[in-house]
Amino acid sequence: MRKTKIEALKTKEHLMLAALETFYSKGISRSSLNEIAQNAGVTRGALYWHFKNKEDLLDAIFQRICDDIENCLQGDLERNTDSWESFCQSMLRFFERLENNPIHYKFYNILFLKCEHTEQNEAIVALVQKYQQLWQQKLNTMLADSIRQQSLPTDLDTELAALFIKTGMDGLIRQYLSPAQPFELSRAAPRIVGIMLDNLQNHVLLRKAV
């Protein structure tokens, strides 16, 4: 890889981190490209060379986070071909990153607390929904693979199960990010995740109606 390409990748990463810090500090709606450029120590023209707008910047940050999660999931699958065990490990690693990785913490803080759902923010909201749909697809695939491998009951209501997982994870994330009731995620997450996973395997109300 030529030096200029390496430098371009470093600059792009630097701009993404500057955008992350700006969004985290001010929220997406109140952040401007000019402020992001200033925080990155570059001209606005230099910022435009790499990113068209705030949506483009947020999309790049999303991709960075998704790559981290995907690499972790692939590593779990390589160590363990059982889809269910890999999913269990991935859920726990997700919360470990949320607690210990500042980039992941700030990203989810932005996503849950500072991504205003307004008409002026329609493009950002649409971008968030796109990635939520991708997560939904991966979740559906995991449930189907786990049923096929007999780690989950064949009569599991997968639509309800996916909603159960999503609401449980979103609720735990939101509670952790809330300053009102601080708690140690490393202590709470394994127990709460364990309860969720046990319910998926055993709770009769998550089975398909006869």
Side-chain angles (χ1 to χ4, degrees), residues 147 153-160 204-210:
I147 291 172
T154 56
D155 60 346
L156 181 72
D157 185 335
T158 52
E159 185 176 341
L160 182 61
V204 294
L205 293 180
L206 287 172
R207 307 292 178 87
K208 294 177 181 176
V210 179

Side-chain angles (χ1 to χ4, degrees), residues 33-65:
L33 289 177
N34 191 50
E35 288 173 311
I36 294 170
Q38 288 179 349
N39 289 339
V42 302
T43 65
R44 185 163 175 163
L47 175 61
Y48 273 119
W49 178 260
H50 294 279
F51 300 101
K52 296 179 292 185
N53 46 40
K54 286 194 290 186
E55 298 87 71
D56 202 19
L57 270 163
L58 186 62
D59 193 15
I61 297 170
F62 256 113
Q63 290 178 33
R64 160 74 181 274
I65 297 296

Side-chain angles (χ1 to χ4, degrees), residues 90-154:
S90 294
M91 285 188 70
L92 292 176
R93 292 181 195 278
F94 170 86
F95 287 110
E96 287 175 4
R97 285 193 298 272
L98 178 62
E99 186 171 42
N100 299 312
N101 187 314
I103 292 176
H104 282 251
Y105 175 84
K106 290 174 182 177
F107 171 76
Y108 285 102
N109 187 285
I110 294 164
L111 191 61
F112 277 77
L113 304 180
K114 296 172 182 176
C115 182
E116 304 85 351
H117 286 221
T118 63
E119 289 186 8
Q120 295 78 13
N121 233 14
E122 283 183 354
I124 294 291
V125 173
L127 179 64
V128 172
Q129 290 173 341
K130 181 188 83 170
Y131 280 96
Q132 287 176 335
Q133 289 170 0
L134 289 174
W135 159 238
Q136 182 74 39
Q137 291 169 8
K138 287 186 177 294
L139 186 54
N140 291 340
T141 299
M142 181 283 301
L143 290 172
D145 287 346
S146 296
I147 291 172
R148 180 175 51 81
Q149 294 177 351
Q150 299 182 334
S151 298
L152 288 174
T154 56

